[in-house]
């Protein structure tokens, strides 16, 4: 009976993967010895990928992650950098055999803002490098020394196009095969590869930042392959050549970043065909004050976060300890014999006798 029940479950899981529920992939290209990823086929929820990055760097998360793919590792030696590259338009990349891949369950949009905020809060007085970049959307976010290190990095579409046609660009050494330099879609894809090359090149000029004690974070989103798939089709030679070029460029970028941090960096790749829902960032303005009041007519308090119990216990037991200390001290002072217990009265009494 148990054997018969296991077969339909396996069939349902396979059908779900074919339907795209867990067809996307989360891959680990390079990792130090202090971070251990187990080899297996455990699906990772798409919204928990930032938690995997945070835990691998030694940060805590609000909700426990019961995913067996990430082991505890060395708690006293955390990686100096985490590099996460999101590739849109493909659910799987032909990565090297030495990498580890996990299927993604429910690929929803995510961001590493929580990890970036934790780095900025805990290491604000040091020199962390935080770079979040999406070239196709002209979206960039830099914190710490990233503003000076990547000052010359091309971030707008115009800058990316001009960078490609410079003498030291990747066009002089990269085999284009069926791709063209005269097509805007192809140039967008190639400009993203140029960004990968420039990040490693600019960071190599500031190697001292890769040896400090503050962790660094790199989050890159590449959409050029998705645009090539829309333009030529996923069965076209252009898409196949672009996929092969992207895999080689990602592996080279991973090796360069890994070597720059002396083997103490985690390089991860997320391959997503399409996200299930758009990413919305919550913002608040003064014009929303009247609306928020109508949404909360009973003036209820906000839900407390996971630090509430810790802070409550610290304050509670500190107050109990201070109250007990005041009671004990007051009791001893009240029952103290001035002529016997107090050194002030005793010395004063001896001085009077001497006089």
């Amino acid at each position: 009976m148990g054997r018969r029940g296991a077969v339909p479950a396996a069939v349902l899981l396979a059908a779900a993967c074919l339907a795209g529920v867990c067809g996307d992939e989360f891959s680990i290209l390079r990792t130090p010895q202090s971070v251990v990823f187990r080899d297996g086929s455990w699906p990772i929820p798409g919204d928990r990928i930032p938690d995997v990055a945070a835990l691998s760097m030694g940060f805590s998360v609000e909700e426990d992650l019961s995913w067996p793919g990430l082991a505890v590792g060395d708690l006293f030696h955390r990686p100096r950098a985490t590099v996460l590259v999101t590739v849109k338009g493909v659910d799987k990349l032909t990565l090297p055999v030495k990498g580890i891949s996990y299927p993604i369950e429910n690929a929803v949009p995510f961001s590493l803002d929580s990890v970036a905020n934790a780095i900025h809060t805990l290491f604000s007085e040091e020199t962390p490098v935080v770079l979040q970049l999406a070239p196709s959307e002209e979206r960039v976010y830099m914190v710490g020394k990233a503003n000076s290190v990547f000052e010359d990095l091309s971030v707008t579409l115009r800058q990316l196009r001009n960078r490609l046609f410079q003498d030291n660009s990747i066009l002089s050494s990269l085999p284009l095969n069926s791709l063209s330099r005269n097509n805007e879609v192809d140039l967008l894809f190639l400009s993203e590869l140029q960004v990968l090359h420039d990040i490693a090149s600019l960071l190599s000029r500031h190697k001292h930042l890769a040896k400090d004690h503050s962790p660094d974070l790199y989050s890159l989103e590449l959409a050029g392959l998705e645009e090539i798939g829309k333009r030529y089709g996923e069965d076209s030679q252009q898409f196949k050549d672009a996929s092969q070029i992207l895999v080689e460029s990602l592996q080279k970028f991973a090796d360069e970043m890994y070597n720059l941090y002396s083997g103490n960096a985690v390089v991860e790749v997320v391959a997503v065909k399409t996200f299930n829902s758009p990413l919305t960032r919550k913002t608040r303005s003064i014009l929303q004050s009247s609306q928020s009041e109508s949404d909360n007519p009973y003036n209820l308090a906000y839900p407390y976060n996971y630090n509430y119990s810790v802070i409550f216990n610290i304050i509670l037991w500190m107050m109990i300890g201070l109250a007990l200390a005041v009671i004990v001290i007051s009791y001893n002072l009240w029952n103290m014999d001035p002529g016997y217990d107090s050194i002030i009265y005793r010395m004063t009494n001896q001085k009077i006798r001497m006089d």
Side-chain angles (χ1 to χ4, degrees):
M1 185 67 182
R3 180 67 177 176
R4 292 179 180 178
V7 175
V11 173
L12 291 175
L13 179 60
C17 291
L18 290 175
V21 177
C22 54
D24 304 317
E25 207 169 52
F26 173 62
S27 304
I28 312 298
L29 295 186
R30 303 300 295 265
T31 179
Q33 296 181 354
S34 60
V35 181
V36 180
F37 284 94
R38 297 190 179 99
D39 192 2
S41 302
W42 305 288
I44 174 70
D47 58 342
R48 302 306 303 273
I49 293 178
D51 293 340
V52 174
L55 291 173
S56 64
M57 300 184 73
F59 300 131
S60 60
V61 295
E62 295 186 5
E63 184 179 355
D64 293 337
L65 179 64
S66 59
W67 182 60
L70 179 62
V72 177
D74 191 351
L75 299 178
F76 300 99
H77 297 86
R78 293 286 87 188
R80 292 198 188 102
T82 293
V83 183
L84 178 61
V85 182
T86 303
V87 179
K88 299 170 61 177
V90 62
D91 55 0
K92 186 176 182 180
L93 293 172
T94 309
L95 297 171
V97 182
K98 60 182 178 180
I100 304 176
S101 299
Y102 306 96
I104 299 178
E105 182 182 6
N106 189 20
V108 296
F110 63 90
S111 68
L112 299 185
D113 292 345
S114 59
V115 185
N117 293 333
I119 294 176
H120 181 63
T121 302
L122 298 176
F123 301 92
S124 58
E125 297 181 358
E126 299 185 30
T127 57
V129 177
V130 177
L131 174 64
Q132 295 179 272
L133 180 62
S136 62
E137 301 179 4
E138 297 186 351
R139 176 161 46 89
V140 60
Y141 175 74
M142 298 184 185
V143 173
K145 289 295 183 179
N147 293 285
S148 59
V149 175
F150 303 109
E151 182 180 2
D152 299 329
L153 184 66
S154 301
V155 293
T156 64
L157 295 178
R158 182 182 294 273
Q159 292 175 351
L160 292 171
R161 181 182 176 86
N162 295 334
R163 176 69 182 91
L164 275 178
F165 292 98
Q166 295 179 2
D167 296 335
N168 57 347
S169 68
I170 60 174
L171 294 181
S172 58
S173 59
L174 190 66
L176 300 182
N177 298 330
S178 60
L179 301 180
S180 174
R181 301 186 181 187
N182 301 321
N183 191 291
E184 293 295 334
V185 176
D186 297 358
L187 290 177
L188 174 62
F189 169 76
L190 295 173
S191 64
E192 292 180 343
L193 304 184
Q194 182 66 54
V195 169
L196 297 180
H197 176 269
D198 290 344
I199 289 176
S201 177
L202 292 173
L203 186 61
S204 63
R205 304 176 187 176
H206 303 79
K207 293 183 179 181
H208 63 282
L209 295 177
K211 298 179 181 180
D212 56 11
H213 298 287
S214 59
D216 301 334
L217 178 66
Y218 303 87
S219 176
L220 309 174
E221 184 176 315
L222 309 181
L225 187 61
E226 181 183 23
E227 298 299 326
I228 288 184
K230 294 179 181 179
R231 175 67 174 81
Y232 301 105
E234 297 182 3
D235 297 330
S236 63
Q237 188 62 36
Q238 289 87 347
F239 186 83
K240 295 178 181 179
D241 292 341
S243 300
Q244 183 62 30
I245 294 173
L246 178 60
V247 168
E248 295 175 356
S249 300
L250 286 176
Q251 187 60 49
K252 181 181 178 182
F253 176 69
D255 294 338
E256 290 176 348
M257 297 296 290
Y258 186 79
N259 294 330
L260 284 173
Y261 283 91
S262 302
N264 199 6
V266 180
V267 183
E268 305 163 337
V269 175
V270 175
V272 179
K273 183 72 173 179
T274 54
F275 285 114
N276 294 336
S277 59
L279 176 62
T280 57
R281 298 176 182 268
K282 296 182 179 180
T283 58
R284 176 178 174 86
S285 62
I286 302 176
L287 299 178
Q288 295 177 341
S289 58
S290 60
Q291 182 179 358
S292 61
E293 291 176 359
S294 60
D295 294 340
N296 190 12
Y298 300 104
N299 195 23
L300 299 179
Y302 293 102
Y304 60 84
N305 59 8
Y306 69 104
N307 288 324
Y308 175 82
S309 59
V310 179
I311 299 175
F312 176 80
N313 279 275
I314 292 175
I315 297 177
L316 174 64
W317 293 109
M318 185 179 294
M319 293 179 63
I320 292 176
L322 290 176
L324 292 176
V326 170
I327 293 174
V328 172
I329 294 173
S330 301
Y331 177 80
N332 291 330
L333 289 176
W334 183 266
N335 296 280
M336 183 178 65
D337 185 4
Y340 181 76
D341 294 333
S342 178
I343 189 174
I344 299 177
Y345 285 99
R346 290 169 61 185
M347 294 186 65
T348 306
N349 192 16
Q350 293 177 1
K351 186 176 181 181
I352 294 175
R353 290 178 180 179
M354 291 177 62
D355 291 341

